[in-house]
């Protein structure tokens, strides 16, 4: 977990690993929120997902909308640039 938190090239994976490590060290959710500048809901969801899915929960969850820029051709129908 420490190696992921230190060396991950993906910021989302790194942030999630830090949240899980802080929780494992007994840090309360409000403190983790302040340290990481995220919401309590985000911290609780990351911890819940990690407990449910393990290390797979640290990976980014790409959605079709995240990749729908003008270069990917995933824009709305009839929209021309």
């Amino acid at each position: 977990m420490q190696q992921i938190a230190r060396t991950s090239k993906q910021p989302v994976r790194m942030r999630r690993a830090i949240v899980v490590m802080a929780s494992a060290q007994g840090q309360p959710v409000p403190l983790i929120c302040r340290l990481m500048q995220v919401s309590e809901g985000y911290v609780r969801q990351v911890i819940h997902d990690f407990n449910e899915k393990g290390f797979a929960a640290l990976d980014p969850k790409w959605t079709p909308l995240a990749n729908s820029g003008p270069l990917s051709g995933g824009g709305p129908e009839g929209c021309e640039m």
Side-chain angles (χ1 to χ4, degrees):
M1 184 69 69
Q2 287 180 346
Q3 185 177 4
I4 293 170
R6 290 183 190 152
T7 63
S8 179
K9 302 274 190 249
Q10 299 172 336
V12 173
R13 185 177 171 110
M14 184 182 303
R15 185 177 27 222
R16 289 177 182 165
I18 293 169
V19 167
V20 171
M21 284 191 338
S23 174
Q25 292 172 354
Q27 301 295 327
V29 170
L31 179 60
I32 297 171
C33 294
R34 283 194 303 269
L35 293 173
M36 299 300 298
Q37 298 181 350
V38 296
S39 69
E40 284 191 22
Y42 177 82
V43 172
R44 293 180 196 284
Q45 188 64 49
V46 168
I47 294 167
H48 176 77
D49 288 348
F50 184 79
N51 288 336
E52 200 172 272
K53 301 174 189 171
F55 283 93
L58 300 178
D59 295 332
K61 295 165 185 63
W62 302 111
T63 64
L65 294 178
N67 298 323
S68 64
L71 298 176
S72 67
E77 294 288 326
C79 180
E80 295 185 22
M81 294 291 207

